[in-house]
PDB file of all heavy atoms in Angstrom:
ATOM      1  N   VAL A 488     103.120  52.875 102.306  1.00 89.00           N
ATOM      2  CA  VAL A 488     101.993  53.802 102.754  1.00 89.00           C
ATOM      3  C   VAL A 488     102.543  54.707 103.836  1.00 89.00           C
ATOM      4  O   VAL A 488     103.134  54.275 104.839  1.00 89.00           O
ATOM      5  CB  VAL A 488     100.797  52.986 103.268  1.00 89.00           C
ATOM      6  CG1 VAL A 488      99.702  53.952 103.736  1.00 89.00           C
ATOM      7  CG2 VAL A 488     100.280  52.057 102.149  1.00 89.00           C
ATOM      8  N   ARG A 489     102.300  55.962 103.615  1.00 90.00           N
ATOM      9  CA  ARG A 489     102.665  56.971 104.644  1.00 90.00           C
ATOM     10  C   ARG A 489     101.464  57.799 104.985  1.00 90.00           C
ATOM     11  O   ARG A 489     100.673  58.238 104.096  1.00 90.00           O
ATOM     12  CB  ARG A 489     103.824  57.909 104.076  1.00 90.00           C
ATOM     13  CG  ARG A 489     105.113  57.152 103.838  1.00 90.00           C
ATOM     14  CD  ARG A 489     105.799  56.808 105.114  1.00 90.00           C
ATOM     15  NE  ARG A 489     107.072  56.158 104.931  1.00 90.00           N
ATOM     16  CZ  ARG A 489     107.299  54.864 105.138  1.00 90.00           C
ATOM     17  NH1 ARG A 489     106.279  54.086 105.482  1.00 90.00           N
ATOM     18  NH2 ARG A 489     108.471  54.359 104.984  1.00 90.00           N
ATOM     19  N   HIS A 490     101.304  58.125 106.259  1.00 90.00           N
ATOM     20  CA  HIS A 490     100.227  59.024 106.730  1.00 90.00           C
ATOM     21  C   HIS A 490     100.916  60.245 107.278  1.00 90.00           C
ATOM     22  O   HIS A 490     101.654  60.180 108.293  1.00 90.00           O
ATOM     23  CB  HIS A 490      99.381  58.306 107.837  1.00 90.00           C
ATOM     24  CG  HIS A 490      98.681  57.090 107.358  1.00 90.00           C
ATOM     25  ND1 HIS A 490      97.396  57.146 106.794  1.00 90.00           N
ATOM     26  CD2 HIS A 490      99.060  55.790 107.343  1.00 90.00           C
ATOM     27  CE1 HIS A 490      97.018  55.920 106.467  1.00 90.00           C
ATOM     28  NE2 HIS A 490      98.010  55.108 106.801  1.00 90.00           N
ATOM     29  N   LEU A 491     100.668  61.410 106.637  1.00 92.00           N
ATOM     30  CA  LEU A 491     101.253  62.667 107.059  1.00 92.00           C
ATOM     31  C   LEU A 491     100.182  63.462 107.795  1.00 92.00           C
ATOM     32  O   LEU A 491      99.188  63.902 107.212  1.00 92.00           O
ATOM     33  CB  LEU A 491     101.793  63.404 105.888  1.00 92.00           C
ATOM     34  CG  LEU A 491     102.395  64.800 106.129  1.00 92.00           C
ATOM     35  CD1 LEU A 491     103.481  64.746 107.184  1.00 92.00           C
ATOM     36  CD2 LEU A 491     102.950  65.374 104.821  1.00 92.00           C
ATOM     37  N   ILE A 492     100.354  63.646 109.079  1.00 91.00           N
ATOM     38  CA  ILE A 492      99.415  64.402 109.913  1.00 91.00           C
ATOM     39  C   ILE A 492      99.964  65.749 110.205  1.00 91.00           C
ATOM     40  O   ILE A 492     101.017  65.890 110.840  1.00 91.00           O
ATOM     41  CB  ILE A 492      99.083  63.617 111.193  1.00 91.00           C
ATOM     42  CG1 ILE A 492      98.584  62.197 110.874  1.00 91.00           C
ATOM     43  CG2 ILE A 492      98.044  64.372 112.055  1.00 91.00           C
ATOM     44  CD1 ILE A 492      98.364  61.305 112.075  1.00 91.00           C
ATOM     45  N   VAL A 493      99.213  66.787 109.798  1.00 92.00           N
ATOM     46  CA  VAL A 493      99.690  68.159 109.923  1.00 92.00           C
ATOM     47  C   VAL A 493      98.939  68.862 111.042  1.00 92.00           C
ATOM     48  O   VAL A 493      97.666  68.836 111.038  1.00 92.00           O
ATOM     49  CB  VAL A 493      99.517  68.919 108.604  1.00 92.00           C
ATOM     50  CG1 VAL A 493      99.984  70.359 108.732  1.00 92.00           C
ATOM     51  CG2 VAL A 493     100.283  68.198 107.429  1.00 92.00           C
ATOM     52  N   SER A 494      99.636  69.466 111.975  1.00 89.00           N
ATOM     53  CA  SER A 494      98.998  70.241 113.042  1.00 89.00           C
ATOM     54  C   SER A 494      99.655  71.633 113.070  1.00 89.00           C
ATOM     55  O   SER A 494     100.789  71.842 112.648  1.00 89.00           O
ATOM     56  CB  SER A 494      99.204  69.528 114.329  1.00 89.00           C
ATOM     57  OG  SER A 494      98.611  68.256 114.369  1.00 89.00           O
ATOM     58  N   VAL A 495      98.900  72.583 113.585  1.00 87.00           N
ATOM     59  CA  VAL A 495      99.399  73.947 113.758  1.00 87.00           C
ATOM     60  C   VAL A 495      99.446  74.252 115.256  1.00 87.00           C
ATOM     61  O   VAL A 495      98.449  74.117 115.975  1.00 87.00           O
ATOM     62  CB  VAL A 495      98.561  74.978 113.042  1.00 87.00           C
ATOM     63  CG1 VAL A 495      99.041  76.387 113.293  1.00 87.00           C
ATOM     64  CG2 VAL A 495      98.486  74.683 111.543  1.00 87.00           C
ATOM     65  N   LYS A 496     100.633  74.577 115.758  1.00 81.00           N
ATOM     66  CA  LYS A 496     100.864  74.736 117.198  1.00 81.00           C
ATOM     67  C   LYS A 496     101.264  76.185 117.512  1.00 81.00           C
ATOM     68  O   LYS A 496     101.816  76.905 116.714  1.00 81.00           O
ATOM     69  CB  LYS A 496     101.941  73.787 117.684  1.00 81.00           C
ATOM     70  CG  LYS A 496     101.758  72.327 117.328  1.00 81.00           C
ATOM     71  CD  LYS A 496     100.615  71.727 118.098  1.00 81.00           C
ATOM     72  CE  LYS A 496     100.531  70.187 117.872  1.00 81.00           C
ATOM     73  NZ  LYS A 496      99.406  69.590 118.548  1.00 81.00           N
ATOM     74  N   ASP A 497     100.934  76.591 118.728  1.00 74.00           N
ATOM     75  CA  ASP A 497     101.498  77.873 119.254  1.00 74.00           C
ATOM     76  C   ASP A 497     102.889  77.588 119.744  1.00 74.00           C
ATOM     77  O   ASP A 497     103.106  76.879 120.755  1.00 74.00           O
ATOM     78  CB  ASP A 497     100.625  78.374 120.395  1.00 74.00           C
ATOM     79  CG  ASP A 497      99.288  78.903 119.902  1.00 74.00           C
ATOM     80  OD1 ASP A 497      99.268  79.647 118.899  1.00 74.00           O
ATOM     81  OD2 ASP A 497      98.265  78.568 120.516  1.00 74.00           O
ATOM     82  N   GLN A 498     103.862  78.122 119.006  1.00 65.00           N
ATOM     83  CA  GLN A 498     105.260  77.917 119.393  1.00 65.00           C
ATOM     84  C   GLN A 498     106.084  79.105 118.922  1.00 65.00           C
ATOM     85  O   GLN A 498     105.654  79.888 118.070  1.00 65.00           O
ATOM     86  CB  GLN A 498     105.819  76.620 118.795  1.00 65.00           C
ATOM     87  CG  GLN A 498     105.660  76.511 117.312  1.00 65.00           C
ATOM     88  CD  GLN A 498     106.165  75.155 116.815  1.00 65.00           C
ATOM     89  OE1 GLN A 498     107.310  74.762 117.020  1.00 65.00           O
ATOM     90  NE2 GLN A 498     105.258  74.387 116.130  1.00 65.00           N
ATOM     91  N   ASP A 499     107.246  79.209 119.474  1.00 65.00           N
ATOM     92  CA  ASP A 499     108.159  80.329 119.177  1.00 65.00           C
ATOM     93  C   ASP A 499     108.621  80.179 117.722  1.00 65.00           C
ATOM     94  O   ASP A 499     109.260  79.177 117.400  1.00 65.00           O
ATOM     95  CB  ASP A 499     109.363  80.271 120.110  1.00 65.00           C
ATOM     96  CG  ASP A 499     110.403  81.314 119.799  1.00 65.00           C
ATOM     97  OD1 ASP A 499     110.029  82.279 119.099  1.00 65.00           O
ATOM     98  OD2 ASP A 499     111.543  81.186 120.264  1.00 65.00           O
ATOM     99  N   PRO A 500     108.337  81.176 116.849  1.00 60.00           N
ATOM    100  CA  PRO A 500     108.780  81.052 115.472  1.00 60.00           C
ATOM    101  C   PRO A 500     110.251  80.852 115.289  1.00 60.00           C
ATOM    102  O   PRO A 500     110.695  80.160 114.390  1.00 60.00           O
ATOM    103  CB  PRO A 500     108.344  82.392 114.890  1.00 60.00           C
ATOM    104  CG  PRO A 500     107.203  82.844 115.726  1.00 60.00           C
ATOM    105  CD  PRO A 500     107.572  82.362 117.125  1.00 60.00           C
ATOM    106  N   GLU A 501     111.066  81.458 116.181  1.00 66.00           N
ATOM    107  CA  GLU A 501     112.526  81.328 116.049  1.00 66.00           C
ATOM    108  C   GLU A 501     112.986  79.907 116.358  1.00 66.00           C
ATOM    109  O   GLU A 501     113.784  79.322 115.603  1.00 66.00           O
ATOM    110  CB  GLU A 501     113.249  82.299 116.996  1.00 66.00           C
ATOM    111  CG  GLU A 501     113.100  83.742 116.583  1.00 66.00           C
ATOM    112  CD  GLU A 501     113.935  84.654 117.417  1.00 66.00           C
ATOM    113  OE1 GLU A 501     114.743  84.127 118.240  1.00 66.00           O
ATOM    114  OE2 GLU A 501     113.806  85.874 117.290  1.00 66.00           O
ATOM    115  N   SER A 502     112.412  79.244 117.388  1.00 63.00           N
ATOM    116  CA  SER A 502     112.761  77.852 117.659  1.00 63.00           C
ATOM    117  C   SER A 502     112.254  76.966 116.537  1.00 63.00           C
ATOM    118  O   SER A 502     112.864  75.935 116.185  1.00 63.00           O
ATOM    119  CB  SER A 502     112.186  77.425 119.014  1.00 63.00           C
ATOM    120  OG  SER A 502     110.758  77.503 118.983  1.00 63.00           O
ATOM    121  N   PHE A 503     111.132  77.316 115.960  1.00 60.00           N
ATOM    122  CA  PHE A 503     110.570  76.574 114.851  1.00 60.00           C
ATOM    123  C   PHE A 503     111.556  76.629 113.649  1.00 60.00           C
ATOM    124  O   PHE A 503     111.795  75.602 113.000  1.00 60.00           O
ATOM    125  CB  PHE A 503     109.251  77.140 114.434  1.00 60.00           C
ATOM    126  CG  PHE A 503     108.687  76.568 113.169  1.00 60.00           C
ATOM    127  CD1 PHE A 503     108.127  75.310 113.128  1.00 60.00           C
ATOM    128  CD2 PHE A 503     108.727  77.306 112.013  1.00 60.00           C
ATOM    129  CE1 PHE A 503     107.560  74.782 111.981  1.00 60.00           C
ATOM    130  CE2 PHE A 503     108.199  76.789 110.843  1.00 60.00           C
ATOM    131  CZ  PHE A 503     107.643  75.540 110.793  1.00 60.00           C
ATOM    132  N   GLN A 504     112.120  77.772 113.409  1.00 63.00           N
ATOM    133  CA  GLN A 504     113.030  77.909 112.266  1.00 63.00           C
ATOM    134  C   GLN A 504     114.325  77.094 112.486  1.00 63.00           C
ATOM    135  O   GLN A 504     114.967  76.669 111.555  1.00 63.00           O
ATOM    136  CB  GLN A 504     113.373  79.378 112.023  1.00 63.00           C
ATOM    137  CG  GLN A 504     112.192  80.171 111.435  1.00 63.00           C
ATOM    138  CD  GLN A 504     111.817  79.660 110.058  1.00 63.00           C
ATOM    139  OE1 GLN A 504     112.606  79.174 109.284  1.00 63.00           O
ATOM    140  NE2 GLN A 504     110.488  79.792 109.754  1.00 63.00           N
ATOM    141  N   ARG A 505     114.706  76.933 113.760  1.00 64.00           N
ATOM    142  CA  ARG A 505     115.947  76.191 114.073  1.00 64.00           C
ATOM    143  C   ARG A 505     115.679  74.685 114.023  1.00 64.00           C
ATOM    144  O   ARG A 505     116.637  73.892 113.909  1.00 64.00           O
ATOM    145  CB  ARG A 505     116.454  76.566 115.462  1.00 64.00           C
ATOM    146  CG  ARG A 505     116.999  77.977 115.530  1.00 64.00           C
ATOM    147  CD  ARG A 505     117.756  78.179 116.833  1.00 64.00           C
ATOM    148  NE  ARG A 505     116.918  78.027 118.022  1.00 64.00           N
ATOM    149  CZ  ARG A 505     116.259  78.980 118.595  1.00 64.00           C
ATOM    150  NH1 ARG A 505     116.340  80.222 118.104  1.00 64.00           N
ATOM    151  NH2 ARG A 505     115.498  78.754 119.675  1.00 64.00           N
ATOM    152  N   ALA A 506     114.436  74.270 114.092  1.00 65.00           N
ATOM    153  CA  ALA A 506     114.109  72.854 114.070  1.00 65.00           C
ATOM    154  C   ALA A 506     114.330  72.301 112.681  1.00 65.00           C
ATOM    155  O   ALA A 506     114.278  73.005 111.693  1.00 65.00           O
ATOM    156  CB  ALA A 506     112.689  72.633 114.521  1.00 65.00           C
ATOM    157  N   PRO A 507     114.542  70.992 112.558  1.00 65.00           N
ATOM    158  CA  PRO A 507     114.664  70.325 111.236  1.00 65.00           C
ATOM    159  C   PRO A 507     113.493  70.701 110.326  1.00 65.00           C
ATOM    160  O   PRO A 507     112.345  70.622 110.750  1.00 65.00           O
ATOM    161  CB  PRO A 507     114.718  68.844 111.533  1.00 65.00           C
ATOM    162  CG  PRO A 507     115.274  68.759 112.953  1.00 65.00           C
ATOM    163  CD  PRO A 507     114.697  69.957 113.634  1.00 65.00           C
ATOM    164  N   PHE A 508     113.786  71.068 109.063  1.00 69.00           N
ATOM    165  CA  PHE A 508     112.762  71.549 108.183  1.00 69.00           C
ATOM    166  C   PHE A 508     111.896  70.401 107.677  1.00 69.00           C
ATOM    167  O   PHE A 508     110.699  70.568 107.436  1.00 69.00           O
ATOM    168  CB  PHE A 508     113.420  72.258 106.957  1.00 69.00           C
ATOM    169  CG  PHE A 508     112.451  73.112 106.199  1.00 69.00           C
ATOM    170  CD1 PHE A 508     112.126  74.399 106.621  1.00 69.00           C
ATOM    171  CD2 PHE A 508     111.846  72.649 105.044  1.00 69.00           C
ATOM    172  CE1 PHE A 508     111.241  75.192 105.969  1.00 69.00           C
ATOM    173  CE2 PHE A 508     110.964  73.442 104.352  1.00 69.00           C
ATOM    174  CZ  PHE A 508     110.651  74.714 104.813  1.00 69.00           C
ATOM    175  N   ALA A 509     112.507  69.257 107.482  1.00 67.00           N
ATOM    176  CA  ALA A 509     111.737  68.078 106.995  1.00 67.00           C
ATOM    177  C   ALA A 509     112.017  66.843 107.862  1.00 67.00           C
ATOM    178  O   ALA A 509     112.640  65.902 107.414  1.00 67.00           O
ATOM    179  CB  ALA A 509     112.099  67.780 105.527  1.00 67.00           C
ATOM    180  N   PRO A 510     111.566  66.864 109.103  1.00 60.00           N
ATOM    181  CA  PRO A 510     111.840  65.721 109.986  1.00 60.00           C
ATOM    182  C   PRO A 510     111.067  64.492 109.591  1.00 60.00           C
ATOM    183  O   PRO A 510     109.936  64.558 109.072  1.00 60.00           O
ATOM    184  CB  PRO A 510     111.348  66.238 111.365  1.00 60.00           C
ATOM    185  CG  PRO A 510     110.254  67.176 111.028  1.00 60.00           C
ATOM    186  CD  PRO A 510     110.669  67.873 109.739  1.00 60.00           C
ATOM    187  N   LEU A 511     111.659  63.346 109.756  1.00 60.00           N
ATOM    188  CA  LEU A 511     110.991  62.072 109.448  1.00 60.00           C
ATOM    189  C   LEU A 511     110.837  61.303 110.774  1.00 60.00           C
ATOM    190  O   LEU A 511     111.681  60.493 111.127  1.00 60.00           O
ATOM    191  CB  LEU A 511     111.782  61.264 108.437  1.00 60.00           C
ATOM    192  CG  LEU A 511     111.780  61.816 107.002  1.00 60.00           C
ATOM    193  CD1 LEU A 511     112.583  60.942 106.097  1.00 60.00           C
ATOM    194  CD2 LEU A 511     110.344  61.910 106.510  1.00 60.00           C
ATOM    195  N   THR A 512     109.768  61.574 111.470  1.00 56.00           N
ATOM    196  CA  THR A 512     109.512  60.878 112.740  1.00 56.00           C
ATOM    197  C   THR A 512     108.515  59.723 112.487  1.00 56.00           C
ATOM    198  O   THR A 512     107.349  59.849 112.877  1.00 56.00           O
ATOM    199  CB  THR A 512     108.982  61.869 113.783  1.00 56.00           C
ATOM    200  OG1 THR A 512     107.813  62.553 113.236  1.00 56.00           O
ATOM    201  CG2 THR A 512     110.019  62.864 114.140  1.00 56.00           C
ATOM    202  N   LEU A 513     108.947  58.744 111.781  1.00 58.00           N
ATOM    203  CA  LEU A 513     108.083  57.622 111.442  1.00 58.00           C
ATOM    204  C   LEU A 513     107.926  56.705 112.619  1.00 58.00           C
ATOM    205  O   LEU A 513     108.856  56.330 113.281  1.00 58.00           O
ATOM    206  CB  LEU A 513     108.701  56.823 110.235  1.00 58.00           C
ATOM    207  CG  LEU A 513     108.616  57.489 108.858  1.00 58.00           C
ATOM    208  CD1 LEU A 513     109.450  56.677 107.899  1.00 58.00           C
ATOM    209  CD2 LEU A 513     107.176  57.541 108.375  1.00 58.00           C
ATOM    210  N   ASP A 514     106.656  56.272 112.856  1.00 58.00           N
ATOM    211  CA  ASP A 514     106.464  55.217 113.822  1.00 58.00           C
ATOM    212  C   ASP A 514     106.200  53.923 113.063  1.00 58.00           C
ATOM    213  O   ASP A 514     106.375  53.842 111.873  1.00 58.00           O
ATOM    214  CB  ASP A 514     105.292  55.594 114.767  1.00 58.00           C
ATOM    215  CG  ASP A 514     103.971  55.615 114.035  1.00 58.00           C
ATOM    216  OD1 ASP A 514     103.877  55.181 112.880  1.00 58.00           O
ATOM    217  OD2 ASP A 514     102.947  56.046 114.635  1.00 58.00           O
ATOM    218  N   GLY A 515     105.882  52.894 113.801  1.00 62.00           N
ATOM    219  CA  GLY A 515     105.721  51.580 113.183  1.00 62.00           C
ATOM    220  C   GLY A 515     104.585  51.525 112.159  1.00 62.00           C
ATOM    221  O   GLY A 515     104.561  50.637 111.295  1.00 62.00           O
ATOM    222  N   GLY A 516     103.668  52.482 112.235  1.00 71.00           N
ATOM    223  CA  GLY A 516     102.552  52.485 111.277  1.00 71.00           C
ATOM    224  C   GLY A 516     102.726  53.402 110.130  1.00 71.00           C
ATOM    225  O   GLY A 516     101.781  53.657 109.329  1.00 71.00           O
ATOM    226  N   GLY A 517     103.956  53.885 109.918  1.00 83.00           N
ATOM    227  CA  GLY A 517     104.183  54.767 108.750  1.00 83.00           C
ATOM    228  C   GLY A 517     103.595  56.152 108.925  1.00 83.00           C
ATOM    229  O   GLY A 517     103.307  56.838 107.961  1.00 83.00           O
ATOM    230  N   ILE A 518     103.474  56.608 110.166  1.00 86.00           N
ATOM    231  CA  ILE A 518     102.905  57.930 110.429  1.00 86.00           C
ATOM    232  C   ILE A 518     103.984  58.951 110.570  1.00 86.00           C
ATOM    233  O   ILE A 518     104.984  58.768 111.275  1.00 86.00           O
ATOM    234  CB  ILE A 518     102.047  57.901 111.709  1.00 86.00           C
ATOM    235  CG1 ILE A 518     100.848  56.936 111.549  1.00 86.00           C
ATOM    236  CG2 ILE A 518     101.533  59.344 112.067  1.00 86.00           C
ATOM    237  CD1 ILE A 518     100.008  56.782 112.781  1.00 86.00           C
ATOM    238  N   VAL A 519     103.826  60.066 109.825  1.00 87.00           N
ATOM    239  CA  VAL A 519     104.737  61.222 109.932  1.00 87.00           C
ATOM    240  C   VAL A 519     103.969  62.389 110.499  1.00 87.00           C
ATOM    241  O   VAL A 519     102.894  62.723 109.970  1.00 87.00           O
ATOM    242  CB  VAL A 519     105.376  61.565 108.556  1.00 87.00           C
ATOM    243  CG1 VAL A 519     106.356  62.712 108.691  1.00 87.00           C
ATOM    244  CG2 VAL A 519     105.989  60.363 107.902  1.00 87.00           C
ATOM    245  N   ARG A 520     104.468  62.995 111.543  1.00 86.00           N
ATOM    246  CA  ARG A 520     103.774  64.138 112.142  1.00 86.00           C
ATOM    247  C   ARG A 520     104.514  65.416 111.824  1.00 86.00           C
ATOM    248  O   ARG A 520     105.721  65.489 112.020  1.00 86.00           O
ATOM    249  CB  ARG A 520     103.638  63.949 113.683  1.00 86.00           C
ATOM    250  CG  ARG A 520     102.837  62.685 114.037  1.00 86.00           C
ATOM    251  CD  ARG A 520     102.545  62.617 115.470  1.00 86.00           C
ATOM    252  NE  ARG A 520     101.864  61.328 115.792  1.00 86.00           N
ATOM    253  CZ  ARG A 520     100.536  61.174 115.670  1.00 86.00           C
ATOM    254  NH1 ARG A 520      99.798  62.178 115.241  1.00 86.00           N
ATOM    255  NH2 ARG A 520      99.951  60.024 115.938  1.00 86.00           N
ATOM    256  N   CYS A 521     103.786  66.379 111.361  1.00 86.00           N
ATOM    257  CA  CYS A 521     104.375  67.683 110.972  1.00 86.00           C
ATOM    258  C   CYS A 521     103.666  68.771 111.784  1.00 86.00           C
ATOM    259  O   CYS A 521     102.483  69.035 111.599  1.00 86.00           O
ATOM    260  CB  CYS A 521     104.183  67.920 109.488  1.00 86.00           C
ATOM    261  SG  CYS A 521     104.746  69.543 108.929  1.00 86.00           S
ATOM    262  N   ASP A 522     104.431  69.348 112.720  1.00 85.00           N
ATOM    263  CA  ASP A 522     103.892  70.419 113.527  1.00 85.00           C
ATOM    264  C   ASP A 522     104.356  71.775 112.983  1.00 85.00           C
ATOM    265  O   ASP A 522     105.556  72.037 112.881  1.00 85.00           O
ATOM    266  CB  ASP A 522     104.336  70.287 114.987  1.00 85.00           C
ATOM    267  CG  ASP A 522     103.728  69.125 115.696  1.00 85.00           C
ATOM    268  OD1 ASP A 522     102.631  68.691 115.272  1.00 85.00           O
ATOM    269  OD2 ASP A 522     104.337  68.568 116.629  1.00 85.00           O
ATOM    270  N   LEU A 523     103.390  72.639 112.617  1.00 84.00           N
ATOM    271  CA  LEU A 523     103.709  73.941 112.068  1.00 84.00           C
ATOM    272  C   LEU A 523     103.408  75.002 113.045  1.00 84.00           C
ATOM    273  O   LEU A 523     102.511  74.846 113.895  1.00 84.00           O
ATOM    274  CB  LEU A 523     102.838  74.147 110.814  1.00 84.00           C
ATOM    275  CG  LEU A 523     102.971  73.102 109.689  1.00 84.00           C
ATOM    276  CD1 LEU A 523     101.907  73.310 108.602  1.00 84.00           C
ATOM    277  CD2 LEU A 523     104.351  73.203 109.056  1.00 84.00           C
ATOM    278  N   PRO A 524     104.104  76.155 112.994  1.00 81.00           N
ATOM    279  CA  PRO A 524     103.844  77.261 113.931  1.00 81.00           C
ATOM    280  C   PRO A 524     102.611  78.057 113.466  1.00 81.00           C
ATOM    281  O   PRO A 524     102.314  78.129 112.280  1.00 81.00           O
ATOM    282  CB  PRO A 524     105.107  78.076 113.870  1.00 81.00           C
ATOM    283  CG  PRO A 524     105.553  77.924 112.465  1.00 81.00           C
ATOM    284  CD  PRO A 524     105.225  76.494 112.118  1.00 81.00           C
ATOM    285  N   ARG A 525     101.951  78.645 114.444  1.00 79.00           N
ATOM    286  CA  ARG A 525     100.851  79.557 114.108  1.00 79.00           C
ATOM    287  C   ARG A 525     101.433  80.916 113.759  1.00 79.00           C
ATOM    288  O   ARG A 525     101.927  81.646 114.638  1.00 79.00           O
ATOM    289  CB  ARG A 525      99.885  79.708 115.282  1.00 79.00           C
ATOM    290  CG  ARG A 525      98.565  80.374 114.970  1.00 79.00           C
ATOM    291  CD  ARG A 525      97.798  80.662 116.226  1.00 79.00           C
ATOM    292  NE  ARG A 525      97.572  79.431 116.982  1.00 79.00           N
ATOM    293  CZ  ARG A 525      96.500  78.632 116.895  1.00 79.00           C
ATOM    294  NH1 ARG A 525      95.540  78.950 116.026  1.00 79.00           N
ATOM    295  NH2 ARG A 525      96.357  77.560 117.629  1.00 79.00           N
ATOM    296  N   ILE A 526     101.452  81.268 112.506  1.00 72.00           N
ATOM    297  CA  ILE A 526     102.044  82.541 112.130  1.00 72.00           C
ATOM    298  C   ILE A 526     101.002  83.324 111.307  1.00 72.00           C
ATOM    299  O   ILE A 526     100.130  82.799 110.606  1.00 72.00           O
ATOM    300  CB  ILE A 526     103.291  82.331 111.216  1.00 72.00           C
ATOM    301  CG1 ILE A 526     103.007  81.390 110.061  1.00 72.00           C
ATOM    302  CG2 ILE A 526     104.461  81.806 112.044  1.00 72.00           C
ATOM    303  CD1 ILE A 526     104.206  81.190 109.140  1.00 72.00           C
ATOM    304  N   HIS A 527     101.049  84.631 111.456  1.00 67.00           N
ATOM    305  CA  HIS A 527     100.070  85.515 110.820  1.00 67.00           C
ATOM    306  C   HIS A 527     100.853  86.419 109.833  1.00 67.00           C
ATOM    307  O   HIS A 527     101.115  87.570 110.101  1.00 67.00           O
ATOM    308  CB  HIS A 527      99.343  86.367 111.888  1.00 67.00           C
ATOM    309  CG  HIS A 527      98.685  85.532 112.926  1.00 67.00           C
ATOM    310  ND1 HIS A 527      97.495  84.864 112.692  1.00 67.00           N
ATOM    311  CD2 HIS A 527      99.037  85.186 114.189  1.00 67.00           C
ATOM    312  CE1 HIS A 527      97.095  84.156 113.757  1.00 67.00           C
ATOM    313  NE2 HIS A 527      98.064  84.354 114.710  1.00 67.00           N
ATOM    314  N   GLU A 528     101.179  85.861 108.707  1.00 64.00           N
ATOM    315  CA  GLU A 528     101.868  86.565 107.656  1.00 64.00           C
ATOM    316  C   GLU A 528     101.220  86.284 106.339  1.00 64.00           C
ATOM    317  O   GLU A 528     100.547  85.245 106.176  1.00 64.00           O
ATOM    318  CB  GLU A 528     103.367  86.140 107.639  1.00 64.00           C
ATOM    319  CG  GLU A 528     104.109  86.420 108.901  1.00 64.00           C
ATOM    320  CD  GLU A 528     105.562  85.891 108.799  1.00 64.00           C
ATOM    321  OE1 GLU A 528     105.916  85.378 107.744  1.00 64.00           O
ATOM    322  OE2 GLU A 528     106.261  85.964 109.817  1.00 64.00           O
ATOM    323  N   TYR A 529     101.468  87.145 105.389  1.00 57.00           N
ATOM    324  CA  TYR A 529     100.883  86.956 104.048  1.00 57.00           C
ATOM    325  C   TYR A 529     101.370  85.626 103.427  1.00 57.00           C
ATOM    326  O   TYR A 529     100.620  84.952 102.777  1.00 57.00           O
ATOM    327  CB  TYR A 529     101.317  88.111 103.130  1.00 57.00           C
ATOM    328  CG  TYR A 529     100.992  87.902 101.687  1.00 57.00           C
ATOM    329  CD1 TYR A 529      99.705  88.174 101.200  1.00 57.00           C
ATOM    330  CD2 TYR A 529     101.987  87.431 100.779  1.00 57.00           C
ATOM    331  CE1 TYR A 529      99.383  87.966  99.868  1.00 57.00           C
ATOM    332  CE2 TYR A 529     101.677  87.254  99.446  1.00 57.00           C
ATOM    333  CZ  TYR A 529     100.380  87.504  98.984  1.00 57.00           C
ATOM    334  OH  TYR A 529     100.077  87.317  97.653  1.00 57.00           O
TER     335      TYR A 529
END
């Protein structure tokens, strides 16, 4: 069982692009957190 929690954050798009694209930050409860940048593009 995996819980994928998606959030949208205000962050620098360039630093976001340099970050791992598919990070696996699993904790003991099988939770994966995915932080996305706030971008205003088509």
Side-chain angles (χ1 to χ4, degrees):
V488 178
R489 295 287 182 255
H490 297 271
L491 178 54
I492 303 174
V493 179
S494 300
V495 177
K496 307 289 187 181
D497 287 314
Q498 54 183 302
D499 176 17
E501 291 187 8
S502 63
F503 171 77
Q504 288 298 328
R505 291 193 298 269
F508 198 81
L511 288 181
T512 53
L513 287 170
D514 67 9
I518 298 176
V519 184
R520 300 188 182 277
C521 175
D522 291 335
L523 302 171
R525 192 190 304 267
I526 53 179
H527 303 283
E528 299 176 4
Y529 171 81

